[in-house]
Amino acid sequence: MSVFNIFGDVKEKRFIKKALPMIMIGVLMYYLFVSLIGEQINILTTVLPGETGWNIGLIMNGYTIGGLVAVPATFVINTILMKRSTKKFCSGQAFL
């Protein structure tokens, strides 16, 4: 399968009309997320040590712990989603 022919086997053309905007929105939202997190880290590591006297290791501890929790949580949540309905999971997340 070629990169330029990603929708070659799709029988319904309506799917392509809906899928392409979703792919573009997904790429833009990923770029926005990455740039926001990058700027947040840059601001936190330059401003907070000067104002609070904390070292950078203490400030970045939250990101390290969050990353270590997110990796196994991704596998657990994906396993739950494969075994159960995504509709139930998403409706439960709406309340959180």
Side-chain angles (χ1 to χ4, degrees):
M1 177 183 283
S2 172
V3 175
F4 300 108
N5 192 13
I6 59 174
F7 297 117
D9 297 335
V10 176
K11 294 179 178 142
E12 298 224 12
K13 300 300 179 189
R14 293 182 301 163
F15 175 77
I16 297 172
K17 290 180 182 176
K18 291 181 180 180
L20 282 176
M22 292 301 290
I23 291 171
M24 287 187 253
I25 289 171
V27 169
L28 288 173
M29 295 306 278
Y30 178 76
Y31 175 75
L32 176 68
F33 173 74
V34 168
S35 61
L36 286 175
I37 293 298
E39 286 301 313
Q40 182 182 13
I41 290 173
N42 290 337
I43 291 170
L44 286 177
T45 56
T46 56
V47 174
L48 281 179
E51 290 189 12
T52 61
W54 298 344
N55 63 5
I56 294 175
L58 181 64
I59 295 168
M60 296 303 293
N61 234 3
Y63 286 103
T64 305
I65 294 168
L68 292 173
V69 168
V71 171
T74 301
F75 289 110
V76 170
I77 290 171
N78 285 334
T79 305
I80 291 170
L81 287 176
M82 286 190 285
K83 291 183 178 183
R84 292 183 171 75
S85 170
T86 56
K87 187 176 180 181
K88 291 178 183 177
F89 184 79
C90 291
S91 61
Q93 291 295 318
F95 292 110
L96 293 177

